[in-house]
Amino acid sequence: MIDFLSLKAVNRQYREELLEACAEVIDSGWYIAGKALERFEANFAAYCGVGHCIGVANGLDALTLTLKAWKQLGRLSDGDEVIVPANTYIASVLAITESGLVPVFVEPDVATFNLDPQAVREAITGKTKVILPVHLYGKIADMPAINAIAQAFGLLVLEDSAQAHGASIDDKRTGSWGDASGFSFYPGKNLGALGDGGAITTDDPELANVLRALRNYGSHEKYKNLYAGVNSRLDEIQAAMLDVKLKYLDDEIRRRQYIAHRYATGIENADISLPVNEIAARHVWHLYVVRTSRREALQAHLGALGIQTLVHYPIPPHKQQAYAIYNHLSLPITERIHDEVLSLPVDPTMGAEAIQTVIDACNSFKRS
Ligand SMILES: *Cc1c(COP(=O)(O)O)cnc(C)c1O
């Protein structure tokens, strides 16, 4: 059996160091907002190449609290529009609606699965205030083009970097392109905690300051509340786990890139379209997503050969029951993507034999 992603195998690599870091937190007697959080925030800010990192409870909160902080700072108000790729994971959209803002869904570029700058430009109205690019599947969006549009129209840029820690263009990493960026450390993400976690990165000290209060009941100083905040903190124990794993993130990315390279050069089947990868951008392969008009058949074929695959995602946000008000929208590129995508295993601990088994299985998938 080839697992889609064995978190057990991934974390076993660092078992001794994780246990040691765990013991340090236990023995410190300090479990929230202490030295482990401070250390991880400093290290992750440095990794992304920005001045500030603010740890929060999860990736959804990272995005939501950033939008709410911009409201507190008077940069956004209720009803402002946020441009978002229609094929994203629903969390990007939930952050917008939870903040009292309006999502404007745009069709992605079918080759990259990412925001199409031309479609962004066409979606701008007098109410547009934010562009929210999602570095989907680990591939960084066309940030130079998106930032140029934002600058021309005076818009804020919030990156959804939940799937793309360490992805870059010209060595400039996700987390440093937008006015702010939301990260998730959900266990299955490329940098995963042993539980929930998230963070915002930014170079804006004012925004960082408001976020530090918002995550903590709206308070910088105990029992003095500036804002109606929330409780969304990154625990010491998770910060300590993440600090251990951050050291190995680039090694894991190189493993993922190697697996993707093997797939790209080994899989040859006219019924399976492989993801594109321009050399200039460093894709971190959170997911290796192929497209086929016969997805159910391919998934069954691979499953019969002991290979676990997943669909990211079967239903786009605008077709969800939760967003009945958007169900009438017709977004054919997005809907086709959701009908055709299949994610092959990309596990940094995968051996050569497992990689070859996936390649052979894809190549033996026959036209019906
Ligand atoms: C995982 C994910 C999120 C949300 O992160 P959580 O930590 O699960 O809240 C947001 N956006 C995208 C694109 C994601 O993949």
Side-chain angles (χ1 to χ4, degrees):
M1 181 75 201
I2 297 173
D3 289 332
F4 183 73
L5 172 66
S6 168
L7 289 177
K8 199 161 136 174
V10 168
N11 289 319
R12 192 167 48 213
Q13 303 175 97
Y14 318 120
R15 189 169 189 278
E16 291 312 312
E17 263 188 274
L18 291 171
L19 282 173
E20 215 171 288
C22 222
E24 219 173 282
V25 174
I26 293 168
D27 294 343
S28 76
W30 192 275
Y31 307 118
I32 287 175
K35 290 203 172 63
L37 176 64
E38 238 172 70
R39 198 180 319 134
F40 173 69
E41 286 180 338
N43 288 336
F44 194 63
Y47 181 84
C48 296
V50 292
H52 310 273
C53 168
I54 303 97
V56 293
N58 55 66
L60 173 59
D61 282 0
L63 297 170
T64 309
L65 293 178
T66 302
L67 294 170
K68 288 187 174 171
W70 278 335
K71 285 174 88 175
Q72 291 292 351
L73 288 164
R75 298 182 200 166
L76 294 179
S77 23
D78 280 334
D80 284 345
E81 291 177 357
V82 180
I83 291 177
V84 64
N87 61 320
T88 187
Y89 178 58
I90 197 165
S92 327
V93 184
L94 289 171
I96 297 168
T97 55
E98 176 62 22
S99 309
L101 305 168
V102 177
V104 173
F105 300 101
V106 303
E107 292 269 48
D109 177 330
V110 73
T112 65
F113 300 113
N114 274 341
L115 267 185
D116 171 358
Q118 185 56 32
V120 170
R121 199 178 278 273
E122 285 163 13
I124 293 173
T125 73
K127 297 190 103 177
T128 308
K129 287 287 163 56
V130 182
I131 306 174
L132 201 164
V134 182
H135 309 307
L136 203 66
Y137 308 149
K139 179 168 176 56
I140 184 167
D142 185 351
M143 294 311 296
I146 289 165
N147 281 358
I149 296 170
Q151 197 154 29
F153 290 86
L155 309 176
L156 293 162
V157 175
L158 172 56
E159 296 171 71
D160 182 339
S161 304
Q163 301 189 359
H165 322 68
S168 61
I169 296 176
D170 295 336
D171 290 331
K172 186 174 163 58
R173 287 181 170 147
T174 57
S176 71
W177 286 90
D179 295 285
S181 175
F183 286 89
S184 165
F185 306 121
Y186 177 80
K189 300 290 160 91
N190 282 18
L191 178 59
L194 308 190
D196 274 315
I200 302 106
T201 58
T202 183
D203 263 327
D204 177 351
E206 252 190 314
L207 174 67
N209 198 42
V210 175
L211 284 166
R212 286 183 197 287
L214 279 184
R215 71 175 173 184
N216 185 40
Y217 303 111
S219 164
H220 287 297
E221 204 182 315
K222 211 163 189 180
Y223 307 128
K224 266 182 107 173
N225 299 75
L226 298 174
Y227 317 105
V230 299
N231 177 351
S232 179
R233 301 181 292 215
L234 182 61
D235 292 337
E236 287 288 282
I237 202 114
Q238 296 304 345
M241 302 297 96
L242 288 165
D243 214 36
V244 168
K245 293 184 71 181
L246 178 58
K247 289 186 288 183
Y248 303 103
L249 177 59
D250 282 336
D251 292 339
E252 290 207 358
I253 289 172
R254 279 189 283 275
R255 279 297 300 167
R256 288 173 179 276
Q257 289 173 327
Y258 171 72
I259 296 164
H261 173 74
R262 290 288 313 278
Y263 287 169
T265 49
I267 300 173
E268 280 180 67
N269 187 319
D271 276 354
I272 304 174
S273 316
L274 303 182
V276 302
N277 179 29
E278 309 90 344
I279 300 303
R282 185 196 196 210
H283 194 321
V284 295
W285 301 105
H286 173 57
L287 298 170
Y288 192 91
V289 178
V290 303
R291 283 190 299 121
T292 169
S293 57
R294 299 168 50 227
R295 180 187 45 217
E296 278 62 38
L298 177 59
Q299 187 164 35
H301 172 77
L302 297 176
L305 293 166
I307 298 162
Q308 187 192 10
T309 57
L310 296 173
V311 174
H312 299 92
Y313 300 89
I315 307 171
H318 73 282
K319 291 295 182 196
Q320 295 286 353
Q321 198 178 330
Y323 284 126
I325 50 167
Y326 299 118
N327 285 176
H328 68 279
L329 293 177
S330 167
L331 295 156
I333 299 175
T334 296
E335 287 154 30
R336 190 173 139 213
I337 286 174
H338 285 75
D339 286 341
E340 296 187 347
V341 288
L342 188 68
S343 307
L344 304 183
V346 184
D347 181 326
T349 67
M350 254 172 121
E353 208 175 310
I355 296 170
Q356 193 59 48
T357 302
V358 175
I359 293 169
D360 293 342
C362 288
N363 291 343
S364 68
F365 177 55
K366 295 249 165 42
R367 198 173 280 278
S368 62

